[in-house]
Amino acid sequence: MAFLICFHIVICCVSLIYVADNDHPVIDPTPFHMFFDPARLHIAVAVIALFALLSLLFVFARFSFGYFAGFYLYTMILGYLWLNCFSDLNYDHRVAGLSAAVSAAAFLAAALFVSPPIPRSFVLSERNFDLLLIFILVLAAATIAVGAIYNFRLVAFTRIYDYRDMMDSPKALNYLVTIVSGALLPFAFAGFVARGAWWGACAAVVLLLLFYPVTLSKLPLFAPVWLGSLLVLSAIFRARTAVVLSLFLPILCGVALHIAFKSPSALYFSTVNFRMIAVPSNAMDIYNDFFSRHDLTWFCQIPALKQIMSCPYQEPLWILMEKAYNLGNLNASLFATEGIASVGPLWAPLSAFACGLVIALGSRMADGLPYGFVLMSGAVLPLVLLNVPLSIVLVTHGAAILFLLWYITPRSMFRQDSEPNVSRAP
């Protein structure tokens, strides 16, 4: 595990070097302030080497949803610390880098090792669990049908941004779309797999794909592949190894393709290595720069709090970032929003610790469930957490609902003789 994580760290840094290549046929890193200067390489290596010591937590911690989400967010902070060494944005990079590292440590300490006792007072019967899975499929189909009335476009993946701003639908429907596609359908997929009902698992995958023409979002398009990959990885490897490989292999593949076939692999590299990995890290650079010169939000960006407190900003943060940096809809993770934007770098570690406690609570709700089930049912949320504040992930993307579903899932239906990976060490 230690060797694999070290290799992952090295590949992430190599990937960021290629992301900063100005000769890339698709990516222009200059507007994002992503650079690489060989003269400062020794500084970046020293910073990453020190931060790599924190990865020892993943060697000793047991698997949980906090482990899953924590490893993805650790990789994002790793990317920021690398980019921070070469950024030309004007703010205190040393303070910001130290704050990011301490925030990562605080978050992981809570998410990996805090285990609050939660009595389980209500659990579904196995029959009702099966009915719940069917209900999710029906709800997903109805959501797609209603969504198609407002928006339905079959366009190429490379042209979604030409049409997505034209899409308009009721706010309640938007909430339902993100909750169903991000939390409920992955849960149904994992549930059907656990029950051996492959027809249901296939139906969940098909419904996920049908959300693409309704939302023109990348997530429904790639979620079926993501779920299938985690199904295979969890069947072959132990859960912690599967988590690391789920992120390491796509990044490694992008680097290998970029080296061997630079132009033909441009779409894959720009989608995975740039958009999925580098941009969430870069968002912390952007947020540090913006809020070094502007008022902090003190969490007023959360809609419920904005109604009861004064706020220096009436627009969502991503709109502020778009106007200031012209980089499109730049949403950001909990480290950038609940941390940098809300309380600044000084208090960001405390905010990160509180967010880690929330994730630890969700992990505890899944206590007693097989590792493979947690991996597949929670597959989408770590990806969302890279780009979306925790407060929004809990409500808009259905994380709170998923935690509740884990809580009421009957543990009795998982038998070790039919689930070989359950008996494996974490």
Side-chain angles (χ1 to χ4, degrees), residues 246-264:
S246 69
L247 201 52
F248 167 71
L249 291 177
I251 298 173
L252 177 63
C253 184
V255 170
L257 288 173
H258 181 79
I259 294 173
F261 312 102
K262 187 172 183 178
S263 294

Side-chain angles (χ1 to χ4, degrees), residues 213-249:
V214 173
T215 63
L216 293 187
S217 171
K218 300 173 186 175
L219 198 57
L221 193 60
F222 292 109
V225 178
W226 196 254
L227 287 171
S229 300
L230 287 173
L231 175 61
V232 173
L233 288 173
S234 62
I236 299 174
F237 301 99
R238 296 178 178 180
R240 297 185 307 165
T241 306
V243 167
V244 177
L245 288 175
S246 69
L247 201 52
F248 167 71
L249 291 177

Side-chain angles (χ1 to χ4, degrees), residues 153 208 316 339 349 372:
R153 293 178 183 270
L208 269 173

